Amino acid sequence: MDILLAKHWHHLPREEVATLLESDGARGLDTFEVAHRQANYGPNRLTVAKGKGPLVLFLLQFHQPLVYILLGAAAVTFALQEWVDSGVIFAVVLVNAVIGFIQESRALKAIEALARTMEGSATVVRAGKKEKITAVELVPGDLVLLQSGDKVPSDLRLLRTRELQIDESALTGESVPVQKQADQLARDTLLADRSNMAYSSALVTYGTGAGIVVAIGDSTEIGRINALIASADTLATPLTRKITHFSKILLWIILGLAGLTLLAGWYHGEPLLDSFMAAVALAVGAIPEGLPAAMTIMLAIGVSKMAQRNAIIRKMPAVETLGSTTVICSDKTGTLTRNEMTVLQVCVSGLCYEFAGVGYAPQGAISVGGTAIDPASHPALLECLRAGLLCNDSRLVDKEGQWGIEGDPTEAAMITAAAKAGLAHASVDESCPRIDALPFESQHQYMATLHAADSGSVACIYIKGTVESVLSRCHDALGAGMENEPVDQARIEREIADMAGKGLRVLAFARKTVAATGQSVSHADIAGGLTFIGLQAMMDPPREEAIAAVSACHRAGIQVKMITGDHLATAAAIARQIGLKGNAVDDPDSYAVNGHRLAQLADHELVDIVQRAAVFARVSPEQKLRLVEALQRSGHVVAMTGDGVNDAPALKQADIGVAMGQGGTEVAKEAADMVLTDDNFSTIEAAVEEGRAVFDNLVKFIAWTLPTNIGEGLVILVAVFAGLTLPITPVQILWINMTTAVLLGLMLAFEGKEPGIMARPPRRPEMPVLTAELMFRIGLVSLMLLLGAFGLFEWVLQQGRSVEIARTAAVNMFVFGELFYLFNCRSLRYSVFRLGLFSNRWLILGVVVMILLQMLFTYSPVMNRLFGSAPVGVGDWMLILAGGSVIFTVVGIEKWLRRRVESHG
């Protein structure tokens, strides 16, 4: 059989695993067999998918309808020998392509980063000899030795363990190191519960072990994640999807109207060249040349603003996607929680003590029923904390003001709790030196240590472990005054049930006094006769700022769901503390769902449950990916946060992936669209707010620029169909479009946030960029620009003045009409006077520069020759300003009427 195709290694007895792999559990593989297998199975390295070449990737940036339109505009202006305009348009296209190329070329780096996580060394036994090799040399059947600090080099079926603990949080989401053992497990055991397996890239935190290699390279669990990353679709953002759809429609409308213009000119007997130039003028007028540049620049400004708020954007469209997000799927460990185990409650002799403070910093008050107490007056409490200190192999470390740990997070939490009561680890160790210890083993579920007592005549054994393993060995309990009393089983069970209901992890503590003559402790010594001391309950607490951020997301109409590899009860308790809301009022069991239940659901059932549940626990990487896809099928715009290797496929599949910058793996960062530099969930709320502001400003720009394009197109159409002289020429249209887009429209990027921006629901994914209200406003302004420009053009001609003067008046009518309308567009709903007329200084600067340029356009001889313009009189300016004022007033009244209807509706 092909040994790489074997499955369920955890379900096989250890002896059978070695037999199947034709290896030896003590001597490992022979040298010749290693060489043979290396030739057959190749190196222990992930395959990096070959992506598109740089040239193809660059050329694909031009494969967009809007870019086709722009390239058409560049070709037309080039044909007209307008070198400057043609060069400007092409430069805009080129800049957009370069930016897109740089962003997309980073996408495949996720897989490269994943491959790097497999690099390193491994200690193996081959032909009975221990040797150190590079991890890429491993083959199936190799016998690998593990010790604290090692990175697991491949997937292993463990054969022997001694106190072995492995941190698999990056792979499974489990918040604490997993205690490993070598016994056979049930076939349907979930990945996170396979305690007899060690998976590639996980970190050994404690103990030693030996395992046999069962999978290398792409066949490992991390290799499957690599395949998921490669297969996950990179989705277009809501805005890019809508702009693409809009561009396709616009492309056909422009081509159709240009064709009609050509036919109308021919019908009126115009020379073919004149008709063709009229069609070109209409096409150039209708093309929003500034839209791609404006989108790019506005998104870039959004990127800059988010960077100031600790959110680094890797892909610019992600700025807008955040503003449209309807669901945030968040990892628990290190994202919603601190990733620092903390003792929250200690119960001794009927009293339950509350410990304030979170994390490993040894600060926080101790209270009972809300009243602070002096720990020195509670000797039984101190004894329970002393037991946690002495029966402990970990250390707290102060690293430049930041408290960290060496060892197990659970043990570190006990050290911190003791320090809050004034017990120093070093002094307690010194007063009660350790003589011997029984390490924690999965079959016993406890750890015991033997210590010399102060008197010297007796010694003391301290034991910690699961409640079941400790309580069954106790014949009495410690009273509040240090006296012995009967074990109150019912009370202890009530305390445990209360702690478990809060999602706390509970450990029990006991002690036994023995003669000082013994120098060792055995399992027989603690088989009975222990004195029960008390319980310590701990958890990885939620971030306080995450609670506020989740609440803000709910107010903004955004659902927040927890997707984690942790246990169901723990995850559900944390979720309730944070304030996550489900939609399962009629089915409370659907608030939290585990991976085993998810695996049994058909796709249509999953789509239903994903809408109702708030917590998904013990999920595999494939299930995370499936949950994101189910939400997307329901029409949601999904943001996925995470920091581990196991999050990477879902991060890439999501509409926006959000990785943690400090605690996140490189794989997660490379797969994400956005990285949070402070690992703070609350930063997502700030990013959503900025995303909504960017989207608002993009919509404002589109609502501002389209009336110009439509108005110019209508002016050309009316002139051609009426058989009249064109009021504006193609080159004049380009002047209007390019200068106003840069100097006027782009200034909307610096607009502040709309009032109540985080109090409104997210935009529905199917909702068009331009609502019916905005379409009406665009049509209204387009009509006013048509009447103003065409009417002014004809009026000047009737005065007996030249076509050049009439066209200059029409151009200025368009520019100043846009200028006045720009102030209306500063808010899509409110009056500019509510915002403050001069609150956007960049906009005022753009208006001033635009006016100066129009003066040059109108009165400079050089500009007159280039653009066919001519000086106009004061009377003309009065009419131009009056036309602009009419547009400003009419739109202001229209917005006021809509607000009035809404307030009464």
Side-chain angles (χ1 to χ4, degrees):
M1 64 177 284
D2 187 337
I3 56 176
L4 288 185
L5 295 180
K7 296 181 178 180
H8 306 297
W9 295 106
H10 61 280
H11 180 55
L12 300 176
R14 63 186 104 179
E15 300 80 8
E16 188 176 336
V17 171
T19 302
L20 277 174
L21 292 165
E22 299 176 5
S23 183
D24 189 300
R27 290 178 48 81
L29 295 172
D30 289 331
T31 305
F32 291 120
E33 183 62 21
V34 169
H36 175 69
R37 294 190 184 190
Q38 283 176 339
N40 276 353
Y41 300 114
N44 178 33
R45 182 182 290 129
L46 294 183
T47 301
V48 179
K50 186 177 179 182
K52 301 180 181 72
L55 180 61
V56 174
L57 200 61
F58 180 71
L59 291 176
L60 283 174
Q61 305 306 313
F62 298 91
H63 184 51
Q64 302 172 43
L66 201 59
V67 174
Y68 294 153
I69 296 172
L70 279 175
L71 288 173
V76 168
T77 51
F78 185 83
L80 293 171
Q81 299 185 0
E82 297 297 334
W83 317 119
V84 174
D85 297 305
S86 179
V88 168
I89 298 172
F90 186 73
V92 167
V93 174
L94 192 61
V95 168
N96 284 333
V98 169
I99 292 171
F101 170 74
I102 292 171
Q103 296 295 331
E104 282 195 34
S105 63
R106 295 176 61 91
L108 290 177
K109 287 190 177 179
I111 296 175
E112 294 172 10
L114 192 53
R116 288 196 298 272
T117 68
M118 293 196 66
E119 296 173 359
S121 60
T123 303
V124 298
V125 176
R126 287 177 174 173
K129 294 181 180 180
K130 180 178 172 182
E131 59 182 287
K132 197 163 190 174
I133 63 172
T134 59
V136 295
E137 298 177 66
L138 284 174
V139 296
D142 256 327
L143 180 61
V144 177
L145 304 181
L146 299 174
Q147 63 180 9
S148 180
D150 286 351
K151 183 161 71 172
V152 181
S154 63
D155 286 1
L156 309 176
R157 169 63 165 90
L158 296 172
L159 304 181
R160 297 180 292 278
T161 66
R162 181 172 174 79
E163 310 170 50
L164 183 64
Q165 296 180 24
I166 297 180
D167 180 358
E168 297 177 340
S169 59
L171 184 68
T172 66
E174 176 69 68
S175 57
V176 295
V178 179
Q179 185 74 34
K180 294 295 183 178
Q181 54 86 33
D183 295 336
Q184 181 180 359
L185 295 172
R187 185 183 181 90
D188 62 352
T189 303
L190 295 174
L191 177 71
D193 295 324
R194 294 175 188 172
S195 57
N196 61 4
M197 299 289 294
Y199 292 108
S200 179
S201 82
L203 186 66
V204 179
T205 60
Y206 194 75
T208 60
I212 196 163
V213 175
V214 295
I216 62 171
D218 293 334
S219 300
T220 61
E221 287 297 322
I222 202 172
R224 290 193 309 105
I225 293 176
N226 175 52
L228 290 174
I229 296 174
S231 64
D233 296 328
T234 301
L235 301 180
T237 70
L239 182 66
T240 54
R241 286 196 291 263
K242 289 174 180 134
I243 292 296
T244 299
H245 179 67
F246 168 74
S247 301
K248 288 176 179 175
I249 294 172
L250 186 61
L251 178 63
W252 290 111
I253 290 174
I254 290 171
L255 292 175
L257 290 177
L260 280 176
T261 303
L262 197 62
L263 287 173
W266 171 78
Y267 175 78
H268 285 290
E270 298 287 338
L272 185 61
L273 182 60
D274 290 350
S275 298
F276 177 74
M277 291 308 295
V280 166
L282 184 138
V284 171
I287 294 171
E289 291 91 351
L291 183 55
M295 281 181 59
T296 301
I297 294 169
M298 284 186 171
L299 290 174
I301 291 171
V303 167
S304 176
K305 287 182 178 178
M306 287 189 183
Q308 295 169 11
R309 301 183 74 170
N310 299 315
I312 305 301
I313 300 297
R314 292 186 62 251
K315 300 168 187 174
M316 279 204 293
V319 177
E320 171 270 326
T321 313
L322 270 168
S324 304
T325 297
T326 59
V327 177
I328 298 175
C329 295
S330 177
D331 187 35
K332 177 184 76 68
T333 306
T335 306
L336 291 169
T337 64
R338 298 174 60 90
N339 200 17
E340 295 177 337
M341 291 297 288
T342 305
V343 172
L344 298 179
Q345 197 171 21
V346 176
C347 290
V348 180
S349 187
L351 279 179
C352 286
Y353 300 85
E354 316 292 333
F355 282 66
V358 292
Y360 298 127
Q363 290 129 18
I366 303 173
S367 61
V368 176
T371 304
I373 58 101
D374 178 9
S377 303
H378 296 258
L381 168 65
L382 292 178
E383 183 64 8
C384 187
L385 295 173
R386 187 180 290 109
L389 265 186
L390 293 172
C391 198
N392 198 310
D393 288 322
S394 299
R395 290 288 181 272
L396 272 187
V397 182
D398 186 359
K399 299 176 181 177
E400 299 178 358
Q402 293 291 324
W403 287 94
I405 67 168
E406 291 180 357
D408 181 73
T410 300
E411 292 189 335
M414 298 176 201
I415 299 172
T416 300
K420 291 175 182 178
L423 296 178
H425 199 174
S427 61
V428 172
D429 273 347
E430 186 178 347
S431 63
C432 300
R434 182 186 294 189
I435 300 170
D436 191 26
L438 282 175
F440 183 93
E441 293 178 343
S442 57
Q443 63 265 41
H444 297 298
Q445 294 293 308
Y446 60 74
M447 173 185 178
T449 53
L450 174 66
H451 298 268
D454 292 334
S455 64
S457 60
V458 295
C460 189
I461 300 172
Y462 285 103
I463 178 173
K464 74 166 186 228
T466 62
V467 176
E468 296 80 6
S469 65
V470 173
L471 201 55
S472 62
R473 291 170 166 79
C474 296
H475 72 87
D476 60 10
L478 191 66
M482 298 296 287
E483 74 282 0
N484 288 357
E485 62 183 25
V487 177
D488 189 341
Q489 186 87 21
R491 188 201 71 221
I492 294 171
E493 287 177 356
R494 286 196 303 272
E495 291 170 348
I496 293 168
D498 178 64
M499 292 171 171
K502 299 174 184 174
L504 302 179
R505 183 183 183 195
V506 183
L507 290 179
F509 296 82
R511 72 178 189 180
K512 183 179 184 180
T513 302
V514 295
T517 54
Q519 294 297 308
S520 64
V521 60
S522 68
H523 293 291
D525 294 329
I526 53 175
L530 301 182
T531 298
F532 181 78
I533 302 174
L535 306 169
Q536 292 193 32
M538 63 202 70
M539 75 184 311
D540 179 12
R543 294 175 180 264
E544 291 181 7
E545 58 271 24
I547 296 173
V550 167
S551 176
C553 286
H554 287 157
R555 287 195 302 273
I558 301 168
Q559 299 178 45
V560 181
K561 297 182 184 293
M562 179 191 292
I563 301 180
T564 178
D566 216 335
H567 292 281
L568 185 69
T570 303
I574 289 285
R576 289 189 173 94
Q577 288 185 41
I578 291 171
L580 298 191
K581 299 175 181 177
N583 297 318
V585 179
D586 58 332
D587 182 12
D589 291 337
S590 292
Y591 177 80
V593 181
N594 65 18
H596 186 71
R597 182 176 170 189
L598 289 177
Q600 298 171 344
L601 296 176
D603 285 348
H604 70 278
E605 294 172 316
L606 181 63
V607 170
D608 174 62
I609 201 72
V610 81
Q611 299 278 10
R612 304 185 322 144
V615 179
F616 300 92
R618 301 307 265 179
V619 296
S620 67
E622 293 95 335
Q623 288 173 332
K624 286 190 178 188
L625 186 59
R626 195 171 166 225
L627 286 168
V628 172
E629 290 171 337
L631 284 166
Q632 288 171 334
R633 279 199 297 273
S634 301
H636 286 291
V637 176
V638 183
M640 169 75 185
T641 76
D643 55 6
V645 174
N646 62 323
D647 297 320
L651 286 174
K652 189 179 176 191
Q653 174 66 34
D655 295 275
I656 175 165
V658 184
M660 304 297 120
Q662 294 177 1
T665 60
E666 285 301 313
V667 180
K669 293 175 192 175
E670 291 292 342
D673 302 282
M674 182 174 83
V675 178
L676 307 183
T677 60
D678 58 357
D679 285 17
N680 196 330
F681 187 87
S682 64
T683 303
I684 298 173
E685 179 207 343
V688 168
E689 187 178 12
E690 291 294 344
R692 290 188 174 190
V694 168
F695 189 88
D696 282 352
N697 290 343
L698 281 168
V699 172
K700 291 172 189 176
F701 178 85
I702 294 170
W704 171 82
T705 195
L706 285 185
T708 308
N709 300 113
I710 296 172
E712 289 166 346
L714 288 174
V715 163
I716 301 300
L717 274 177
V718 170
V720 170
F721 277 86
L724 302 173
T725 306
L726 293 181
I728 44 178
T729 65
V731 71
Q732 289 171 343
I733 289 172
L734 277 172
W735 166 264
I736 297 169
N737 290 357
M738 299 306 292
T739 56
T740 57
V742 173
L743 293 172
L744 299 182
L746 274 181
M747 299 305 115
L748 291 171
F750 300 99
E751 275 302 318
K753 300 175 185 68
E754 290 272 323
I757 193 170
M758 288 298 285
R760 69 191 191 206
R763 293 176 63 91
R764 297 191 307 276
E766 71 277 7
M767 189 176 180
V769 176
L770 298 175
T771 61
E773 170 189 333
L774 287 179
M775 290 296 289
F776 173 81
R777 189 176 300 163
I778 288 168
L780 180 65
V781 176
S782 300
L783 186 62
M784 288 190 286
L785 284 173
L786 165 67
L787 294 174
F790 203 90
L792 188 58
F793 174 77
E794 290 296 323
W795 182 81
V796 171
L797 286 181
Q798 288 176 9
Q799 300 297 311
R801 288 183 281 173
S802 67
V803 172
E804 288 75 19
I805 295 174
R807 282 176 172 164
T808 304
V811 168
N812 277 300
M813 183 64 248
F814 266 107
V815 171
F816 280 85
E818 284 185 87
L819 192 151
F820 277 87
Y821 177 51
L822 180 69
F823 284 92
N824 294 119
C825 289
R826 288 188 56 198
S827 173
L828 297 175
R829 189 169 185 272
Y830 299 103
S831 166
V832 67
F833 298 108
R834 175 173 175 176
L835 303 178
L837 197 59
F838 301 102
S839 57
N840 186 342
R841 296 180 181 178
W842 285 101
L843 184 138
I844 300 301
L845 177 62
V847 166
V848 171
V849 174
M850 189 70 242
I851 291 172
L852 292 175
L853 279 181
Q854 279 308 112
M855 295 302 105
L856 286 174
F857 175 87
T858 305
Y859 297 108
S860 167
V862 174
M863 299 292 276
N864 293 160
R865 285 196 300 273
L866 285 172
F867 291 96
S869 58
V872 298
V874 175
D876 301 323
W877 281 115
M878 296 296 289
L879 291 172
I880 290 167
L881 294 175
S885 300
V886 168
I887 292 174
F888 176 80
T889 304
V890 170
V891 174
I893 292 172
E894 182 255 348
K895 289 203 289 185
W896 175 78
L897 287 172
R898 287 191 183 277
R899 290 197 305 274
R900 188 175 176 84
V901 169
E902 287 175 9
S903 64
H904 288 80

